[in-house]
Amino acid sequence: MILDYVTKYHADPTPALQEFIKGKIVLNPTALSRIVVNGDARIVLSDYNETEIKMGARERLLYILFLKHPEGMRQSDVADYRRELVEIYGIVKPGASDNVVQVTIDNLCDPFSDALRQSISKIKNAVTYVIRDSSKAADYYIKGERGGVYRIGLSREMVKLPSAFTD
């Protein structure tokens, strides 16, 4: 695409490239963006051209749980938030069968399942795919030490959750 642009227009492709990736990828952010979870439970970086961090329902469920709890939690304590996970899942994926909700949450809460660690890894991949600056991306994904507390490092003044998640 870049080569075609340069060949055709004999011009710097940077403006065209920036327009093409707008809302999809953030290359060189100069500051942190606010993160907004909208009514559809989509996760959007409002100061980065409304770029959405796209992830599956299970990952959004987990990410929103961690956004709601800035103090973080140990992986072994996720089961203590089961009721909250059910409520969040109803918003993240409305109309999901009770069986699907139950299986998803059971997998996340099961200490012998790898589902929680896999979801945390998928969240990190989704964030780093969108925010290409690794030092900035680290503020947005869930991180912690094995056996310790996991949290999202972004200041909660930078997080906006709909009232459905805060009531």
Side-chain angles (χ1 to χ4, degrees), residues 41 43 55-68 81-82 84-93 101 104-105 108 123 142 165:
I43 298 155
M55 52 183 93
R58 183 173 74 179
E59 288 72 36
R60 282 187 291 144
L61 164 69
L62 188 61
Y63 196 75
I64 291 167
L65 178 70
F66 275 86
L67 285 175
K68 286 183 66 171
Y81 298 89
R82 181 180 295 274
E84 208 170 331
L85 286 166
V86 170
E87 291 170 8
I88 295 169
Y89 201 96
I91 297 168
V92 168
K93 194 160 185 175
V101 173
T104 300
I105 292 172
L108 285 174
I123 289 167
I142 301 166
F165 293 124

Side-chain angles (χ1 to χ4, degrees), residues 121-136:
S121 178
K122 286 180 180 180
I123 289 167
K124 180 179 179 181
N125 289 339
V127 169
T128 56
Y129 178 80
V130 170
I131 304 172
R132 297 299 181 149
D133 180 331
S134 59
S135 66
K136 298 277 191 296

Side-chain angles (χ1 to χ4, degrees), residues 95-167:
S97 73
D98 290 342
N99 187 44
V100 169
V101 173
Q102 190 66 42
V103 168
T104 300
I105 292 172
D106 285 348
N107 284 337
L108 285 174
C109 295
D110 181 358
F112 300 109
S113 169
D114 229 14
L116 182 61
R117 284 181 290 286
Q118 287 173 355
S119 290
I120 289 172
S121 178
K122 286 180 180 180
I123 289 167
K124 180 179 179 181
N125 289 339
V127 169
T128 56
Y129 178 80
V130 170
I131 304 172
R132 297 299 181 149
D133 180 331
S134 59
S135 66
K136 298 277 191 296
D139 289 315
Y140 292 93
Y141 55 76
I142 301 166
K143 58 186 173 190
E145 297 293 323
R146 178 168 275 172
V149 174
Y150 281 71
R151 67 176 52 92
I152 298 170
L154 191 66
S155 164
R156 285 315 174 263
E157 290 88 42
M158 302 286 286
V159 176
K160 183 172 186 242
L161 295 170
S163 61
F165 293 124
T166 58
D167 292 341

Side-chain angles (χ1 to χ4, degrees), residues 27-94:
L27 292 176
N28 295 312
T30 56
L32 295 176
S33 171
R34 290 169 291 176
I35 194 162
V36 176
V37 179
N38 66 22
D40 295 336
R42 302 283 176 202
I43 298 155
V44 177
L45 300 166
S46 62
D47 300 317
Y48 294 162
N49 298 319
E50 300 293 321
T51 302
E52 180 182 352
I53 301 174
K54 295 182 181 183
M55 52 183 93
R58 183 173 74 179
E59 288 72 36
R60 282 187 291 144
L61 164 69
L62 188 61
Y63 196 75
I64 291 167
L65 178 70
F66 275 86
L67 285 175
K68 286 183 66 171
H69 294 281
E71 72 282 1
M73 63 192 78
R74 285 191 294 278
Q75 289 184 355
S76 59
D77 294 338
V78 170
D80 297 343
Y81 298 89
R82 181 180 295 274
R83 203 173 93 217
E84 208 170 331
L85 286 166
V86 170
E87 291 170 8
I88 295 169
Y89 201 96
I91 297 168
V92 168
K93 194 160 185 175

